[in-house]
Amino acid sequence: MFSREQLVAAIERDELFLAYQPQMLPDGSGMAGVEALVRWQHPTRGAIGPVDFLYAVEAHGLSDELGTWVLTRASREALRWPSLTLSVNVSPTQFHKARFVERLVESVRETGFPLARLELEVVETAFFEDPGSAEAQLRHLRSFGIGLALDDFGIGYSSLSYLRRMPFTKLKIDKSFIDDVAMMQSAAIVHAVIALGRALGLKVTAEGVETAEQQKFLRIAGCHYLQGYLFSKPVPAAEIDAMLSTPPSPMRRSA
Ligand code: C2E
Ligand code: CA
Ligand code: CA
């Protein structure tokens, strides 16, 4: 596991960077937003993905530092995409720190990025410890116009009481259901989740869309946004600039 010193040094030496993955309209005709995903360009080990260092970040109590770094960097970089929403992942640990909302709002405001175009992606484990305080934090965030997505929906407990209670604006259906959408059970679940989200007035995003068949299914099922390798892997900011200046390929538009 990485030591605290290694992680602090990585932030100080500016070895971390953000990749952005497009969130597409279901017919592939345009990009609605991007999700910021952190990476570490290690001087000797090369590129390291978040699953390989986020555990150490949490264990060394650095999720707050990393979270602020990600939020500030993403808000600055996304300023140049006025047509897009920006989604940022928030770790459950960050969520329960004192003055979390005030500090988050302050960091984003300093960059000039409009809070109404920011969306935070949260996983349900953030609510387990203290649902009352989590609900209050989410309502506070919503009062600034910040969007709230429930990430990885479908795995874990996916308690419906959270959906009823917490002021979410979006559901993200976990990739595992999209992978298996050709199977009857998964297809039924995806249909039901989209219907549930829509009935609750939420937007629904499907994660991990890799094939034209999955895209077609999700578009017909009424999913609002699609994200996955079919459209693009997470890429450096400059590649998002390039995609925005070139129209999407006809193949993806017609699926
Ligand atoms: P996530 O939030 O569920 O992000 C989606 C992950 O799925 C990303 O992996 C993305 O690269 C990958 N993905 C997207 N489309 C496809 C696809 O079509 N096929 C496949 N096989 N994979 C796809 P990544 O970037 O390695 O991130 C993994 C997890 O690390 C994220 O899962 C999120 O939980 C966490 N994470 C990433 N960046 C941050 C961050 O800045 N802060 C926090 N707290 N967590 C982060
Ligand atoms: Ca996410
Ligand atoms: Ca996910």
Side-chain angles (χ1 to χ4, degrees):
M1 190 168 91
F2 293 104
S3 69
R4 190 172 210 281
E5 291 66 38
Q6 284 174 305
L7 295 166
V8 170
I11 300 185
E12 283 171 356
R13 294 193 201 122
D14 211 22
E15 289 170 7
L16 301 183
F17 68 99
L18 295 176
Y20 295 90
Q21 188 175 36
Q23 299 176 325
M24 305 294 292
L25 297 175
D27 64 357
S29 63
M31 207 187 293
V34 285
E35 176 177 3
L37 295 154
V38 70
R39 271 99 183 88
W40 180 1
Q41 190 59 45
H42 193 277
T44 54
R45 297 192 199 198
I48 305 176
V51 288
D52 295 321
F53 66 92
L54 284 179
Y55 176 80
V57 167
E58 299 273 329
H60 295 303
L62 290 168
S63 43
D64 225 22
E65 280 82 350
L66 179 76
T68 306
W69 183 91
V70 169
L71 194 71
T72 312
R73 175 64 64 94
S75 304
R76 277 208 196 101
E77 291 190 320
L79 270 176
R80 62 214 239 216
W81 305 315
S83 62
L84 303 183
T85 57
L86 168 68
S87 304
V88 175
N89 293 283
V90 172
S91 99
T93 341
Q94 263 176 285
F95 207 79
H96 292 288
K97 291 277 168 64
R99 298 189 68 249
F100 164 67
V101 178
E102 290 84 349
R103 287 184 297 118
L104 181 143
V105 165
E106 207 174 300
S107 318
V108 179
R109 279 197 174 141
E110 276 174 18
T111 69
F113 189 81
L115 292 167
R117 275 204 289 124
L118 177 69
E119 173 177 82
L120 302 179
E121 298 197 356
V122 195
V123 289
E124 64 175 6
T125 50
F127 319 133
F128 288 176
E129 217 181 284
D130 187 349
S133 116
E135 182 185 351
Q137 300 272 53
L138 291 176
R139 291 199 184 280
H140 197 181
L141 289 164
R142 274 303 291 145
S143 72
F144 292 98
I146 298 171
L148 300 170
L150 181 53
D151 210 350
D152 297 346
F153 189 74
I155 57 168
Y157 294 97
S158 301
S159 165
L160 296 181
S161 68
Y162 290 136
L163 274 189
R164 188 176 54 181
R165 176 170 179 181
M166 310 288 180
F168 290 111
T169 51
K170 188 184 275 181
L171 274 187
K172 290 192 85 173
I173 310 178
D174 190 70
K175 178 180 185 308
S176 52
F177 296 96
I178 310 306
D179 287 343
D180 296 341
V181 91
M183 292 199 257
M184 222 168 63
Q185 277 87 349
S186 279
I189 290 172
V190 170
H191 266 300
V193 170
I194 294 171
L196 175 68
R198 283 184 164 267
L200 292 170
L202 308 179
K203 299 289 185 201
V204 181
T205 299
E207 303 187 294
V209 181
E210 293 181 345
T211 69
E213 290 70 34
Q214 292 167 350
Q215 177 191 8
K216 186 173 179 192
F217 175 92
L218 293 161
R219 181 176 57 75
I220 293 169
C223 207
H224 297 93
Y225 305 107
L226 309 184
Q227 194 178 342
Y229 292 176
L230 174 67
F231 305 101
S232 170
K233 291 198 169 181
V235 292
E239 287 190 41
I240 298 292
D241 298 340
M243 281 181 224
L244 288 173
S245 60
T246 22
S249 77
M251 184 205 73
R252 285 176 193 165
R253 283 177 77 157
S254 61

